[in-house]
């Protein structure tokens, strides 16, 4: 069924008017036919999946044909803002969702800045793009009006020039009366590790969103006009002050994030010897990249729409820079993650020494900008062999302008460098490029080549799919640090931290820490208080970071919390469990959801909604062909032990890992193939598509260990049901095509006329082997 048919069926279940206070519309945009349709989601979507990430998944599930390639125009790209986005302190976020061209899983990325808040304040919760525009286009949204704008003048522009051109042509200022989600040349060229930019640095990074948007020939979505307050704002005001105080009074926010940003994490990771270095061949690196070595180039901090934190460190290496913001902020701050308290007293006293990247007194646009975050610092520092802060800063600014995901791009380069080191690729494959570790000149050049898909840059642009696209031999996969085809997001090497390792393996979008990372596993105060830790995670979790015991409880609770956070629009850094046990939690979200929407929620309901969101994501991944075997880790972490630091010799034990993953599945309510077990699956199917039929099998089949399959396509007869079964379980095709298997519907055997036997939601169907004899 093509997407327009699916859309027709979907909008029949939607509404013409809001179903609760403050609800925004869903804007469906058919790029090929140049048509738009505005509808409102049913209340049950809010009650079971909230908005943002959760509602995006509901829309994708109903609109997607899994057999289509990710860049097919019939696979939609969905923008969604959280229910509380723009209405609560630090609730500034929104998600983009689709099928990933970069990985084998869902595409789902989260970003803040101003676009998600502007979108919601203009009356829209979601924008669904599908079809391919005949020419490059820009979607302009201004309150009740939406229109297509010719984007030909902007083709080829990168991030900074694109924003400047829009401000000039539409007489507006970004972040004042305009917000812009745009792709760069890398998205136009369908670079698989390209993202969608939402500001100078803000990026929907993971999964290849830039390539997906480029495949639809959409250069940008512009929200034009100053944001309007959502109603009712006043009932939220008093408690918003409590939430704001909770955020800014938290130690990690007040002393680290507000002063130097996320690079503060580099030192504790370095001291622990848990830094991914040279494609995770090593785990320790230079103190040159400790956060205080960036002090001379930090002029201040920036932040997202109405956020009190301002955690985004800016950088300026030019001679005119008024830098030094946050200098000495971390000195004497022992924190809880160091494992070496003496490190807190060490300050390097770094001076402003930059004189242009070639030490010739020449400067350009890449010598100042926003960032870096800890991920970029790690991926373009130790992961590729860079030691100088100035080089990291410049590469960060280039990445921002080119719209490249620093996690996947850095990992793609590191993978190539290790293959070059091992002789698996040579100068012949690289076009003469010298891929030795830390070769700054080559790395800078390679970023521009990647955005243009020029020469060996085309190989980096193919990201984790370089082998299947014929760029590397199959042996290269042994050194690919990816799960579900997505390169690792964070710079941590998780052979020590078993909760981190479990989280990366089971994360629904691939090897990504922002889905469920148990950051507090290295918090000494929590580990020293077993009762508090058990209450925090709703189960007993070992205090030892390298133990496997109980880590499933911690990952499960983080996964629920963070899924809810994304669905209400809350920043991960300011959500309970990511950085602190005292940050805003599900109870805080419930209070403000009630004040804004008029719908009552309690903590237990939101916790279950978080599980629902990951449940639907697993159902989507199952449709893409992912199974339990894909919840794993890179070979290196199982087979190669750490060689440095306090946890020398540590690696992941396969048997212990398998047992831990099994416990996680049981706790979550998953079957042995990693998808929701039958009862939960049936419930979710009814909530998502409004249709669920149980098909009972005579024996377990590949992909169906419980001998039951839930069909959630709205099939009309037995023949259509058989076809749906084959789509659901392609690995069991030989069994399902067995001509000796008959079908019984609600206890009645169907012996002929299968096209005329109707199927309805709630039916029970039994596949019955024919018994013959004579």
């Amino acid at each position: 069924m093509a997407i327009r048919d699916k859309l027709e069926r979907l909008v029949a279940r939607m509404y013409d008017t809001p179903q609760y206070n403050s609800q925004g519309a869903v804007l469906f945009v058919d790029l090929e036919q140049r048509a738009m349709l505005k509808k409102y989601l049913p209340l049950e979507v809010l009650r079971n999946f909230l908005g943002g990430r959760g509602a995006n998944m509901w829309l994708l599930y109903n609109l997607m044909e899994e057999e289509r390639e990710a860049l097919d125009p019939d696979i939609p790209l969905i923008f969604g803002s959280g229910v509380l986005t723009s209405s609560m302190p630090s609730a500034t976020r929104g998600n983009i969702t689709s099928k990933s061209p970069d990985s084998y899983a869902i595409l789902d990325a989260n970003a803040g800045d101003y676009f998600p808040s502007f979108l919601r304040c203009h009356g829209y919760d979601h924008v669904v793009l599908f079809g391919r525009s005949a020419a490059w286009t820009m979607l302009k949204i201004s309150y009740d009006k939406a229109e297509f704008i010719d984007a030909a003048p902007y083709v080829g522009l990168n991030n900074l020039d694109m924003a400047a051109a829009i401000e000039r042509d539409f007489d507006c200022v970004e972040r004042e009366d305009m917000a812009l989600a745009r792709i760069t040349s890398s998205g136009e060229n369908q670079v698989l590790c390209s993202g969608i930019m939402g500001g100078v640095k803000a990026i929907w990074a993971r999964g290849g969103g830039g390539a997906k948007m480029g495949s639809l020939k959409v250069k940008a979505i512009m929200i034009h006009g100053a944001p309007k307050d959502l109603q009712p704002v006043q009932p939220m005001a008093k408690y918003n002050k409590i939430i704001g105080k909770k955020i800014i009074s938290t130690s990690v926010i007040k002393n680290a994030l507000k002063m130097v940003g996320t690079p503060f994490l580099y030192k504790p990771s370095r001291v622990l010897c848990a830094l991914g270095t040279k494609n995770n061949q090593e785990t320790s690196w230079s103190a040159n990249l400790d956060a205080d070595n960036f002090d001379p180039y930090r002029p201040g901090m920036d932040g997202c729409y109405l956020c009190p934190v301002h955690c985004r460190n800016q950088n300026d290496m030019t001679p005119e820079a008024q830098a030094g913001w946050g200098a000495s902020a971390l000195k004497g701050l022992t924190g809880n993650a160091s494992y070496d308290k003496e490190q807190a007293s060490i300050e390097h006293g770094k001076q402003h020494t930059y004189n242009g990247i070639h030490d010739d007194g020449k400067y350009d646009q890449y010598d100042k900008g926003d960032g870096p975050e800890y991920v970029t610092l790690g991926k373009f520092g130790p992961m590729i062999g860079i030691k100088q802060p100035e080089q990291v800063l410049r590469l960060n600014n280039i990445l921002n302008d080119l719209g490249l995901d620093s996690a996947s791009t850095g990992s793609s380069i590191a993978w190539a460098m290790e293959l070059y080191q091992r002789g698996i690729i040579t100068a012949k494959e690289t076009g003469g490029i010298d891929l030795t570790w830390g070769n700054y000149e080559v790395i800078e050049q390679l970023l521009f080549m990647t955005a243009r898909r020029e020469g060996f840059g085309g190989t980096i642009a193919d990201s984790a799919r370089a082998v299947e696209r014929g760029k590397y031999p199959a042996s290269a996969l042994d050194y690919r640090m990816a799960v579900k085809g997505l390169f690792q997001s964070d710079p941590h090497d998780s052979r020590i931290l078993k909760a981190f390792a479990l989280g990366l393996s089971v994360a629904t979008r691939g090897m990504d820490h922002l889905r469920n990372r148990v950051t507090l596993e290295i918090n000494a105060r929590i580990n020293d208080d077993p009762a508090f830790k058990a209450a925090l995670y709703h189960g007993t979790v070992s205090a030892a970071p390298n133990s496997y015991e109980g880590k499933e409880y911690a990952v499960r609770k983080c996964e629920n919390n963070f899924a809810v956070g994304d669905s209400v629009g809350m920043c991960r850094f300011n959500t309970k469990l990511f950085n602190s046990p005292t940050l805003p939690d599900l109870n805080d979200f419930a209070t403000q959801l009630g004040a804004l929407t008029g719908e009552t929620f309690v903590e237990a309901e939101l916790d279950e909604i978080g599980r629902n969101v990951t449940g639907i994501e697993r159902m989507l991944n199952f449709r893409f062909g992912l199974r339990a075997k894909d919840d794993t880790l890179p070979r290196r972490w199982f087979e190669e032990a750490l060689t440095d630091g306090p946890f020398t010799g540590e690696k992941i034990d396969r048997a212990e890992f398998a047992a831990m993953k099994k416990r996680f599945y049981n706790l979550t309510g998953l079957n042995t193939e990693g998808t929701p077990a039958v009862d939960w699956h049936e419930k979710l199917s009814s909530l998502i598509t409004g249709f669920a039929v149980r098909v009972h099998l005579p024996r377990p089949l590949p992909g169906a260990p419980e001998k039951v399959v839930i069909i959630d396509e709205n099939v009309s007869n037995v023949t259509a049901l058989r076809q749906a079964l084959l789509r659901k379980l392609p690995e069991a095709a030989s069994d399902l095509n067995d001509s000796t298997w008959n079908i019984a519907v609600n206890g009645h055997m169907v012996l002929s006329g299968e096209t005329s036997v109707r199927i309805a939601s709630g039916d029970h169907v039994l596949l019955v082997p024919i018994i013959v004899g004579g």
Side-chain angles (χ1 to χ4, degrees):
M1 183 184 292
I3 190 168
R4 291 174 186 84
D5 297 321
K6 286 179 171 285
L7 178 60
E8 183 179 359
R9 179 174 286 179
L10 177 62
V11 297
R13 300 166 55 205
M14 298 176 69
Y15 296 87
D16 294 325
T17 57
Q19 300 301 291
Y20 55 87
N21 294 337
S22 84
Q23 185 183 19
V26 180
L27 183 65
F28 295 99
V29 181
D30 187 332
L31 295 157
E32 181 181 355
Q33 298 186 1
R34 310 284 280 187
M36 300 186 203
L37 174 68
K38 186 164 76 171
K39 287 284 185 176
Y40 292 85
L41 291 172
L43 178 61
E44 68 176 14
V45 177
L46 174 75
R47 298 290 334 174
N48 293 283
F49 302 103
L50 295 170
R53 172 179 158 191
N56 275 11
M57 294 298 166
W58 187 91
L59 287 162
L60 180 64
Y61 201 95
N62 279 287
L63 291 172
M64 188 197 66
E65 293 176 277
E66 59 268 28
E67 62 270 19
R68 292 183 181 271
E69 294 296 324
L71 297 180
D72 188 301
D74 267 19
I75 297 290
L77 174 63
I78 304 168
F79 287 76
S81 294
V83 183
L84 296 175
T85 297
S86 80
S87 300
M88 184 176 76
S90 295
T92 64
R93 315 289 289 190
N95 282 52
I96 63 160
T97 305
S98 190
K99 182 178 183 180
S100 174
D102 190 23
S103 77
Y104 313 126
I106 53 172
L107 184 163
D108 189 66
N110 181 276
D113 211 290
Y114 279 51
F115 184 90
S117 295
F118 270 53
L119 179 68
R120 184 144 161 75
C121 291
H122 276 244
Y124 300 91
D125 287 350
H126 305 272
V127 175
V128 180
L129 305 175
F130 65 93
R132 181 174 289 122
S133 178
W136 283 102
T137 194
M138 176 170 69
L139 179 65
K140 180 180 178 232
I141 297 172
S142 183
Y143 310 111
D144 291 331
K145 184 179 180 182
E147 59 185 314
F148 296 104
I149 303 291
D150 178 18
Y154 310 114
V155 174
L157 296 183
N158 287 320
N159 188 29
L160 301 177
D161 290 341
M162 176 68 183
I166 295 298
E167 289 181 336
R168 176 197 67 216
D169 293 348
F170 292 87
D171 190 25
C172 56
V173 178
E174 187 169 21
R175 303 174 111 206
E176 291 183 9
D177 57 356
M178 182 270 286
L180 191 70
R182 65 271 198 177
I183 62 171
T184 65
S185 58
S186 62
E188 293 171 18
N189 294 323
Q190 294 176 34
V191 173
L192 299 188
C193 45
S194 64
I196 301 170
M197 300 304 300
V200 174
K201 189 190 76 67
I203 180 173
W204 287 276
R206 310 261 48 215
K212 178 59 184 175
M213 191 160 159
S215 75
L216 303 178
K217 296 190 80 88
V218 177
K219 180 66 176 175
I221 302 176
M222 174 172 57
I223 313 296
H224 193 263
K228 296 179 178 179
D229 284 340
L230 297 176
Q231 297 298 325
V233 173
Q234 197 57 38
M236 302 181 71
K238 184 176 181 179
Y239 200 73
N240 271 345
K241 291 181 180 178
I242 295 172
I243 291 173
K245 185 176 181 180
K246 181 182 280 195
I247 292 169
I248 61 175
S249 64
T250 299
S251 176
V252 68
I253 304 294
K254 177 173 60 177
N255 297 314
L257 280 175
K258 283 181 69 69
M259 303 306 294
V260 303
T262 58
F264 85 90
L265 291 164
Y266 180 88
K267 181 186 280 188
S269 301
R270 174 179 63 77
V271 173
L272 188 61
C273 285
L275 277 174
T277 301
K278 295 182 179 179
N279 202 38
N280 294 89
Q281 293 181 87
E282 304 167 15
T283 56
S284 60
W285 197 239
S286 172
N288 284 357
L289 299 180
D290 286 357
D292 63 284
N293 283 316
F294 293 83
D295 291 351
Y297 306 115
R298 192 184 309 111
M301 307 293 286
D302 198 359
C304 299
Y305 181 78
L306 299 181
C307 179
V309 177
H310 287 97
C311 68
R312 186 189 309 156
N313 48 309
Q314 298 177 299
N315 68 79
D316 190 342
M317 298 186 288
T318 65
E320 300 81 19
Q322 300 295 314
W325 171 271
S328 303
L330 300 177
K331 189 174 183 180
L333 189 66
T334 58
N336 299 305
S338 173
Y339 283 86
D340 185 351
K341 302 296 184 184
E342 293 181 3
Q343 287 286 324
S345 65
I346 297 173
E347 192 170 66
H348 302 290
K350 168 79 173 172
Q351 300 299 306
H352 187 302
T353 58
Y354 187 72
N355 189 39
I357 195 62
H358 300 296
D359 198 28
D360 56 5
K362 295 180 179 179
Y363 302 86
D364 63 22
Q365 63 178 329
Y366 298 123
D367 290 323
K368 62 188 300 183
D370 279 24
E373 299 289 352
Y374 171 54
V375 166
T376 304
L377 172 57
K379 293 291 184 171
F380 281 83
M383 186 62 84
I384 59 174
I386 294 287
K387 292 184 178 180
Q388 299 308 316
E390 295 86 353
Q391 292 179 347
V392 173
L393 288 173
R394 186 171 168 87
L395 291 172
N396 165 83
N397 296 338
I398 293 170
L399 287 161
N400 288 343
D401 193 38
L402 296 181
L404 294 170
D405 170 15
S406 64
S408 283
T409 307
S411 290
S412 186
I413 293 172
W415 186 27
M417 286 180 158
E418 182 172 3
L419 297 179
Y420 189 80
Q421 167 197 318
R422 294 180 177 276
I424 294 173
I425 61 172
T426 66
K428 178 182 177 182
E429 287 78 22
T430 69
I433 290 178
D434 178 8
L435 288 179
T436 52
W437 299 106
N439 190 341
Y440 174 83
E441 297 290 342
V442 161
I443 294 164
E444 177 174 317
Q445 174 191 6
L446 196 52
L447 292 182
F448 291 101
M449 292 173 64
T450 298
R452 295 191 297 264
R453 279 193 169 271
E454 174 186 295
F456 190 70
T459 299
I460 300 302
D462 283 336
S463 195
R465 292 187 181 250
V467 170
E468 68 188 72
R469 292 194 170 193
K471 304 297 178 63
Y472 298 146
S475 58
L477 292 173
D478 269 348
Y479 308 100
R480 185 180 70 168
M481 299 302 295
V483 172
K484 302 179 183 72
L486 188 71
F487 282 122
Q488 185 181 358
S489 56
D490 67 320
H492 279 101
D493 188 296
S494 295
R495 279 172 279 194
I496 300 168
L497 302 157
K498 301 308 188 290
F500 282 28
L502 175 63
L504 291 171
S505 71
V506 301
T508 51
R509 71 175 174 187
M511 200 176 183
D512 198 291
H513 72 294
L514 291 170
R515 258 7 202 197
N516 54 29
R517 188 173 76 182
V518 190
T519 309
L520 300 182
E521 272 294 274
I522 51 176
N523 186 303
R525 294 177 185 173
I526 290 170
N527 283 327
D528 289 344
D529 189 340
F532 180 75
K533 190 170 187 180
L536 199 63
Y537 296 126
H538 299 183
T540 302
V541 183
S542 171
N546 60 334
S547 168
Y548 298 85
E549 293 305 313
K551 305 304 181 181
E552 65 275 6
Y553 289 107
V555 173
R556 176 72 265 144
K557 190 67 182 84
C558 286
E559 200 157 87
N560 287 358
N561 268 34
F562 301 164
V564 172
D566 285 343
S567 300
V568 300
M570 189 64 169
C571 175
R572 183 75 77 253
F573 292 130
N574 303 322
T575 300
K576 181 178 180 176
L577 298 184
F578 191 72
N579 278 318
S580 170
T582 61
L583 286 163
D585 58 19
L586 301 187
N587 279 315
D588 295 314
F589 301 159
T591 298
Q592 296 303 64
L593 282 167
L596 184 65
T597 69
E599 291 290 315
T600 301
F601 291 89
V602 297
E603 179 183 14
E605 285 179 290
L606 290 183
D607 191 63
E608 181 63 11
I609 287 173
R611 192 174 75 108
N612 283 348
V613 173
T614 61
I616 189 174
E617 290 171 348
R618 284 187 165 272
M619 289 164 64
L620 280 162
N621 282 342
F622 191 90
R623 289 174 65 182
F624 297 153
L626 295 175
R627 303 293 185 261
K629 63 180 175 55
D630 298 297
D631 285 341
T632 186
L633 293 166
R635 174 203 61 81
R636 167 163 281 149
W637 286 1
F638 289 114
E639 299 179 7
E640 299 176 22
L642 299 183
T643 58
D644 201 3
F647 290 92
T648 295
E650 199 71 38
K651 60 181 179 180
I652 306 293
D653 180 273
R654 288 189 185 274
E656 291 276 17
F657 172 79
M660 179 172 62
K661 187 175 84 169
K662 181 179 180 180
R663 296 194 300 271
F664 176 83
Y665 279 11
N666 289 339
L667 180 65
T668 304
L670 306 174
N671 65 21
T672 57
E673 281 292 10
T675 197
V678 172
D679 290 344
W680 184 29
H681 198 145
E682 185 175 37
K683 176 185 175 183
L684 286 173
S685 293
S686 296
L687 291 170
I688 299 162
T689 68
F691 188 92
V693 170
R694 283 197 184 212
V695 180
H696 300 264
L697 306 171
R699 63 174 183 270
L701 295 181
E706 300 164 284
K707 300 195 298 184
V708 177
V709 178
I710 303 299
I711 297 297
D712 47 37
E713 292 183 49
N714 197 334
V715 296
S716 58
N717 57 53
V718 170
T719 299
L721 179 72
R722 285 190 184 272
Q723 294 167 348
L725 271 171
L726 286 169
R727 285 191 292 273
K728 190 85 168 184
L729 298 176
E731 63 264 56
S734 60
D735 292 289
L736 296 173
N737 282 323
D738 189 335
S739 61
T740 66
W741 286 16
N742 278 351
I743 283 184
V745 179
N746 298 326
H748 300 284
M749 191 71 73
V750 180
L751 298 177
S752 63
E754 290 190 351
T755 57
S756 62
V757 177
R758 313 307 293 173
I759 296 291
S761 183
D763 283 351
H764 281 237
V765 173
L766 177 65
L767 294 189
V768 185
I770 299 173
I771 301 175
V772 297

